[in-house]
Amino acid sequence: QRETLFVDEINLPKLSTEIIAIPFFVTDRLESFLILGPKPKNARYLDTDLTTFDILSSQISLALENCIYWQQEKERLAREEQIRRLQAMDHFSSSMAHEIDNPIMAITGQLHLIELILKERFKDKIPQKDLEELLNHSQKTVQNLQRISKLIKAVREFSKQDKGELTIINLDEAVEFALTILEPQLKYKQINFKKDIEKNLKVKGNKIYLAEVLMNLINNSIDAVSSISPWQATIELKIYRNTKKTCIIEVADNGCGIEKELLEDIFLDFVTTKASTSGTGMGLARVRKIVQLHQGKVWAESKGQNQGARFFVELPLVD
């Protein structure tokens, strides 16, 4: 009723009837009580006291509502700022990738020309063994440049503004796209990465979005195993059909694990298990939203701290 009450009105007979309870509301929800004991010298509370407390209740309730509003506004502005930064980073990444890809294509072309000259002009002037060694080194260099170019093309495609349209795709496409970007990081951090992927699983989805889900989950595992010795850290990616109509994407690691009380909350906005300087709590929330867009489910399992974690995404299959 948003009114100050005497304790005897709320059935607490063991306490003095001179104890009163002042309620505080946030919108229509009872948020808390302020409990006051007897007045000095056992004086009784007067109607004027109750009126004062009702005003106090109203003012504090308003202050609580304002605090919650400004906290929500702060979070909204933080989300918008993060989106602006991500958009700026996407634009920068796309531009940088374009600038890097051009000289790579030029170097690849020059190496092919060198190979042609070696084969046509120097095949009789250089010992066969030396010629083969030179051509072998040139081909390996070209292959490495092609890998870099493939990675850059993936970054450019990922940076493009996507309309989020869903089409029938092979899940392999999203996996290959994501791993093209992630594999250099996995090797650099000396992580034992395993994959077991069932082929030809078709879903109605968006390749860029599903690749983003994979990258978020694997990056989450990379962070989880960061304190483990090189090559002892393990991340495993499995994709398999679990029913006739659904498939599972499973990402498991042997990292720091997740406390059981957090398992249901980690997919909410701004919830993170990382240090405050290294996590925004947006990655797994983004995963949840993309999976929901694809009519799927996402959840996590862990036995607790330092016992690893498993993340599951269930998606509907199409014929």
Side-chain angles (χ1 to χ4, degrees):
Q1 298 176 357
R2 297 176 181 265
E3 295 178 358
T4 299
L5 297 175
F6 285 98
V7 169
D8 61 350
E9 297 180 78
I10 50 177
N11 298 319
L12 294 176
K14 293 182 180 180
L15 301 177
S16 168
T17 57
E18 290 300 303
I19 294 179
I20 62 174
I22 306 170
F24 303 117
F25 283 77
V26 173
T27 59
D28 293 326
R29 186 182 72 252
L30 179 62
E31 188 70 23
S32 60
F33 279 103
L34 174 61
I35 305 297
L36 297 183
K39 293 179 72 172
K41 299 180 181 179
N42 292 320
R44 297 187 63 81
Y45 285 103
L46 305 176
D47 288 342
T48 53
D49 294 328
L50 299 184
T51 300
T52 300
F53 294 144
D54 285 340
I55 295 172
L56 175 68
S57 170
S58 175
Q59 293 299 311
I60 291 182
S61 294
L62 180 61
L64 287 170
E65 289 181 11
N66 285 338
C67 287
I68 291 173
Y69 168 78
W70 286 114
Q71 179 63 28
Q72 291 172 342
E73 186 69 6
K74 180 181 177 182
E75 291 173 356
R76 183 186 67 80
L77 292 172
R79 284 195 295 269
E80 290 181 356
E81 177 63 20
Q82 186 175 35
I83 290 170
R84 282 196 293 270
R85 288 183 180 182
L86 288 173
Q87 289 173 340
M89 183 59 69
D90 283 347
H91 179 72
F92 174 77
S93 299
S94 181
S95 300
M96 181 64 70
H98 179 74
E99 292 300 320
I100 294 173
D101 199 32
N102 283 340
I104 285 177
M105 296 300 294
I107 295 168
T108 302
Q110 293 293 321
L111 284 170
H112 284 310
L113 180 60
I114 290 171
E115 289 178 9
L116 186 63
I117 292 173
L118 286 171
K119 291 176 182 178
E120 291 185 355
R121 299 184 188 178
F122 292 90
K123 63 180 179 180
D124 297 327
K125 299 179 181 178
I126 299 177
Q128 184 66 24
K129 184 178 179 181
D130 293 340
L131 180 61
E132 289 177 358
E133 186 177 355
L134 286 171
L135 292 172
N136 184 46
H137 285 307
S138 176
Q139 289 166 4
K140 286 183 178 179
T141 303
V142 169
Q143 289 171 1
N144 285 322
L145 287 169
Q146 288 172 341
R147 286 180 60 195
I148 296 172
S149 183
K150 184 179 178 182
L151 172 60
I152 289 171
K153 284 182 173 65
V155 171
R156 290 178 64 183
E157 186 175 352
F158 187 75
S159 299
K160 290 179 182 177
Q161 293 295 324
D162 195 282
K163 296 180 180 179
E165 296 176 354
L166 304 184
T167 59
I168 296 176
I169 63 169
N170 194 319
L171 204 50
D172 293 352
E173 297 174 21
V175 174
E176 182 181 1
F177 184 81
L179 293 184
T180 296
I181 296 176
L182 287 173
E183 279 179 341
Q185 184 181 180
L186 291 165
K187 290 180 179 178
Y188 174 75
K189 294 192 174 182
Q190 298 178 308
I191 293 172
N192 182 21
F193 182 71
K194 302 176 182 178
K195 57 183 179 179
D196 182 6
I197 300 170
E198 186 174 335
K199 301 295 183 181
N200 300 318
L201 295 176
K202 293 183 179 179
V203 299
K204 186 175 182 180
N206 180 288
K207 184 180 78 171
I208 302 296
Y209 282 4
L210 290 176
E212 186 177 349
V213 167
L214 285 164
M215 287 190 285
N216 268 314
L217 293 179
I218 294 174
N219 270 321
N220 195 70
S221 288
I222 290 173
D223 289 332
V225 301
S226 60
S227 61
I228 299 177
S229 302
W231 303 118
Q232 298 300 312
T234 299
I235 298 174
E236 187 171 5
L237 170 64
K238 292 182 179 180
I239 300 179
Y240 51 90
R241 183 190 299 267
N242 65 319
T243 72
K244 290 183 178 180
K245 295 184 178 180
T246 58
C247 67
I248 294 287
I249 299 172
E250 180 182 345
V251 177
D253 64 68
N254 63 341
C256 59
I258 305 168
E259 295 179 5
K260 291 184 179 180
E261 56 268 26
L262 282 176
L263 284 174
E264 294 184 5
D265 296 335
I266 57 175
F267 294 99
L268 301 177
D269 292 344
F270 299 103
V271 175
T272 178
T273 59
K274 303 174 187 176
S276 60
T277 56
S278 61
T280 63
M282 293 300 292
L284 293 179
R286 173 70 174 164
V287 167
R288 173 179 56 83
K289 291 171 184 175
I290 292 175
V291 172
Q292 289 174 345
L293 176 67
H294 287 74
Q295 307 300 313
K297 301 175 185 176
V298 60
W299 69 94
E301 295 178 2
S302 177
K303 294 181 179 179
Q305 284 190 327
N306 301 317
Q307 297 191 63
R310 292 179 181 273
F311 289 83
F312 297 89
V313 174
E314 184 180 73
L315 295 174
L317 292 169
V318 297
D319 296 330

